[in-house]
Each structure stands twice: as C-alpha cells, then as structure tokens.
Amino acid sequence: MISEAPSVEPLRAGVIGLGYAGEQHLKNYARVPGVEPVALAGLERDRLRELGTRYGVPDLYTSWEDLVAREDLDIVSIGTPNHLHAPIAVAALEGGRHVLCEKPLARTGEEAQQIVDAALAADRAVHTAFTQRERGDVQALKRHVDEGNLGRVYHSKATWMRRNGIPGMGGWFTSKELAGGGPLIDLGVHMVDMALYLMGGPEVESVSCATYAELGPQGRGGWSGSGLMRGDNPYEVEDLATAFLRLSGGATMTLETGWAVYRESSDDFGVTLYGTEGGAEMLVRNYGTSNTVRIYTDVAGVPAVVMPEIEPREGHYAVVKRFVETIHSGDWKGQHGEDGLDRARIIDACYASALQNREVSMEEFRADR
Ligand SMILES: NC(=O)c1ccc[n+]([C@@H]2O[C@H](COP(=O)([O-])OP(=O)(O)OC[C@H]3O[C@@H](n4cnc5c(N)ncnc54)[C@H](O)[C@@H]3O)[C@@H](O)[C@H]2O)c1
C-alpha cells in the first residue's frame, strides 16, 4: 500500500495595507506553499480592486476592523502606517490570529510590549518583517561570521543613507504621531537589527544619539517614487540620525541613517564588521544584489580581499515562508514579537538620548513591566 502524506489545509491570510509592503505580503501569500490570501483591506478603492484581481483575493475591505472581525482567518498581515501596527495586532491576536507585522513592530517599546503581551496571552505567533536581514548577502555574511572566520567581532558600522529619500512627504511617514519618527525608526531599525544579527546578538547596553531636521522642514529631500499616502502636513520628524551604541562583551556599533542629506545621489545601506581574525563590508547601492560583500583577511601573510559570488534572495519571500512554516510546525515558542520589541526599545533609547542630549542606559528601557 502506498501511504500518502497527510494533506495540510492551506492557512487563510488577510492582508491590511496596499502600499509596497502590503503588496509584498500579498504576493508572497499567493506564492508560498501552505497558505492563501483570502482577504485584503486598504483605503484606496481602485488599488484595492486592482490588487484583489491580480492576486485572486475574493474578499476586499476598506476598513481593517472588518477584516480583523472575520472568524475564519489564521493570519493577519500588517502593512499599514506605524500607528496602526499595535491596535491591529492586538485586535487580531485577541481574536486568535497569528500576526505578521511590518517593521517597526510599533512606534514605541510600550506599544510593542502590548503586542507581545497579547501574543503570549493568546498563544499566537508574531513575526516582524525584518526583511533586509534575509537578503542573500546578509545570510552569506552571517554564515561566514558563524563559522568563526572573523574571530570575535568587536565593532560594527551600520548605515542607510539617501540624498533625496523622504518617503511620502507630508503624509504619515513625516508625522511624529503616525510614524513615531523619521529615518531612525524607518531605516535605522533595519540596520540595528541587521548589525546585531550579524554580530551574534549582543545586548545593547547604552546609546548616545543625535538627530537633525535640516532639509525636510524646508520641503527638500522628498522621494518621488514612494508611499501611497502623501499629504500637506508639516514635516515633524528627523531627516538624519547618528548614534553610538555600547554592546555587551565590550563591543560597539555606530549607526548613521538619513532620508535626506547632501551626499551622493543614491540610496545606500550597509554594515561593516571588524573582527579579531578578519573584517567584512557589505554595501548595497540602490538596492543592487551583486558584488555587495567584501571579506578582508590575510593570505600567506599578506592582506587579501575576497569578493564572494552570492545568490540574491528576496527578503519578503523569506519572511513570509518562515512565518507560514512556523505556524504549520505548531511551535512558536519565543516567537511572540520579542525581537521587534527589543529593537523598538533600542529606537526609544536613541530618541530619548537625542532629546536629552546625553548617553542613556538601556536599563531604563528594558525594565520588566
Ligand atoms: N520591510 C520592508 O522592506 C518595508 C518596505 C516598505 C514599508 N515597510 C513598512 O510597511 C508599512 C507600510 O509602508 P508602505 O510604504 O507600504 O506605506 P503606504 O503609505 O504606501 O501604504 C499604507 C497602506 O495602509 C493603508 N491604511 C492606512 N490606514 C488604514 C486603515 N485605517 N484601514 C485600512 N488600511 C489602512 C493605506 O490605505 C495604504 O494602502 C510601514 O510600517 C513601513 O515601515 C516595510
């Protein structure tokens, strides 16, 4: 007799948000095995219909509350402005859904804590879409670090810098209330996450940060190609942030993240690692995927540079696939949004340091509530 593998019903996903992020979630629920997108919500009616047709989503909503109220969903995926992450996630978790949330998990550590608490109470999974750490080059570099080729990594430099890259000028991205901050919470959260991940997960012990708002408030530095939700609201967030972080084990990190700065006209991010046995630099220019990594080592006693050929990998695909596999596995212990919460507290500490003009200890932001 031929025994058949037990058939597993596909998980039913609902996606909220129709911008770049929402579409990435939708596209990958349509692509990854073991899941299907069955509901979609967003405010832009034409785009809602267009995406619904393109990805074969039967049920469309203009209110996130209506989507979350459905009782037949396994997954709620959040690709909305940051101020809605916590209310949507908590409502979905209280209804018994698993949640995939865009970065940042929330505007503040306090809101992120509410999400983690709700996930623990409901025993549901929360993953934060830290998509950049899933890139092929970051994963290859991570394997290199884990194999011990850099020795002990004692310093990193993380940057994400743009010349004219303020997303959705005058819309939610540039509102302190709706976004929680500027490039620090938008791009910096990716880079802090990536650098800590590559360094093997040291704890942040203290932070000294400065923020600037020089070009945005003058209406300069806007990015023409991004964000569905623009507007005429005043520019309220930083356009550049720089920080020095002390890490456990004596290591350190510098962070520089800007949406609009007089520099080369490009959109570049990267991480540099200095280790006791080797160094590495990853520099991604304009979202390119080739020739991004350089490894610094010694060969026969002289300095050598290795440029590995790395297969590209799409971040959102990897995030959605891991999330779906986690839910099918039935084991999501320790996956209630804890990493998103940790990063949210680090961003809180950076903003507090900038506001108070002093170095702040993470103890002040990690106290158990
Ligand atoms: N991981 C990544 O690579 C990545 C990339 C871009 C954006 N993001 C994150 O994704 C989120 C969304 O960013 P975006 O660029 O797609 O934004 P966007 O402005 O392009 O789209 C926001 C969407 O949210 C919807 N929305 C707003 N209020 C709503 C409501 N009350 N009910 C239902 N829908 C509502 C809007 O209709 C819109 O479709 C942000 O948190 C951002 O930080 C992550």
Side-chain angles (χ1 to χ4, degrees):
M1 193 180 111
I2 300 170
S3 66
E4 286 186 12
S7 72
V8 182
E9 284 289 307
L11 299 169
R12 297 165 65 78
V15 174
I16 306 172
L18 312 174
Y20 173 80
E23 183 170 5
Q24 295 308 306
H25 291 214
L26 197 54
K27 180 167 103 183
N28 288 301
Y29 287 125
R31 218 154 69 143
V32 163
V35 65
E36 57 187 14
V38 298
L40 177 64
L43 303 180
E44 301 80 9
R45 287 170 185 270
D46 289 350
R47 178 132 170 108
L48 182 62
R49 276 192 294 273
E50 178 198 322
L51 290 182
T53 305
R54 189 180 311 158
Y55 297 105
V57 185
D59 296 326
L60 307 176
Y61 302 89
T62 49
S63 131
W64 68 263
E65 287 91 343
D66 290 343
L67 181 144
V68 168
R70 277 176 70 133
E71 293 193 342
D72 62 338
L73 297 179
D74 301 293
I75 290 170
V76 169
S77 228
I78 305 173
T80 62
N82 301 344
H83 71 292
L84 291 174
H85 291 188
I88 296 175
V90 169
L93 291 161
E94 286 175 349
R97 320 288 162 236
H98 300 280
V99 169
L100 175 59
C101 185
E102 265 308 332
K103 48 52 64 174
L105 181 56
R107 289 176 300 184
T108 60
E110 198 177 331
E111 281 187 343
Q113 182 73 60
Q114 290 166 12
I115 297 175
V116 172
D117 289 346
L120 287 166
D123 188 20
R124 288 293 177 267
V126 175
H127 283 194
T128 311
F130 287 121
T131 47
Q132 300 299 353
R133 76 148 83 153
E134 302 291 345
R135 290 175 55 98
D137 40 21
V138 179
Q139 291 295 317
L141 195 47
K142 173 73 173 150
R143 287 194 296 277
H144 195 65
V145 175
D146 287 350
E147 283 171 17
N149 299 335
L150 302 191
R152 178 174 50 81
V153 179
Y154 52 89
H155 182 62
S156 68
K157 294 194 277 189
T159 70
W160 193 329
M161 296 294 289
R162 296 175 178 161
R163 167 71 185 266
N164 282 320
I166 299 175
M169 183 71 108
W172 73 266
F173 270 108
T174 53
S175 152
K176 179 75 180 162
E177 171 66 17
L178 303 183
L184 178 59
I185 197 167
D186 181 40
L187 308 177
V189 75
H190 268 308
M191 300 320 296
V192 167
D193 176 73
M194 189 189 290
L196 291 174
Y197 173 68
L198 286 170
M199 294 176 88
E203 296 268 304
V204 176
E205 293 186 340
S206 69
V207 167
S208 184
C209 178
T211 59
Y212 311 81
E214 300 293 343
L215 306 188
Q218 302 181 54
R220 285 196 247 156
W223 193 8
S224 52
S226 83
L228 281 182
M229 308 181 79
R230 289 144 188 284
D232 299 321
N233 299 320
Y235 188 97
E236 296 172 343
V237 294
E238 81 280 358
D239 53 23
L240 171 69
T242 176
F244 178 73
L245 290 76
R246 293 182 193 279
L247 312 177
S248 53
T252 48
M253 180 197 302
T254 60
L255 172 70
E256 190 181 52
T257 174
W259 276 340
V261 178
Y262 281 109
R263 65 181 292 277
E264 213 180 331
S265 283
S266 54
D267 181 347
D268 305 328
F269 63 85
V271 174
T272 301
L273 301 172
Y274 295 149
T276 51
E277 303 298 326
E281 246 170 38
M282 193 199 65
L283 177 60
V284 175
R285 295 175 69 85
N286 296 312
Y287 300 93
T289 51
S290 57
N291 201 16
T292 54
V293 174
R294 280 172 174 58
I295 309 269
Y296 298 103
T297 181
D298 288 314
V299 173
V302 295
V305 186
V306 179
M307 287 181 281
E309 288 178 21
I310 296 164
E311 284 283 308
R313 190 168 89 137
E314 261 183 63
H316 271 102
Y317 176 80
V319 163
V320 168
K321 185 162 177 288
R322 173 158 331 112
F323 181 58
V324 168
E325 285 170 359
T326 299
I327 297 166
H328 277 301
S329 77
D331 179 10
W332 42 84
K333 192 161 171 284
Q335 299 183 57
H336 306 284
E338 291 85 348
D339 55 350
L341 169 61
D342 181 68
R343 296 346 181 202
R345 285 177 175 157
I346 295 166
I347 299 299
D348 273 358
C350 287
Y351 281 124
S353 164
L355 192 68
Q356 297 167 26
N357 212 16
R358 67 176 178 96
E359 181 167 10
V360 301
S361 158
M362 280 306 299
E363 290 293 310
E364 300 169 43
F365 297 86
R366 259 203 208 103
D368 281 337
R369 287 148 209 267

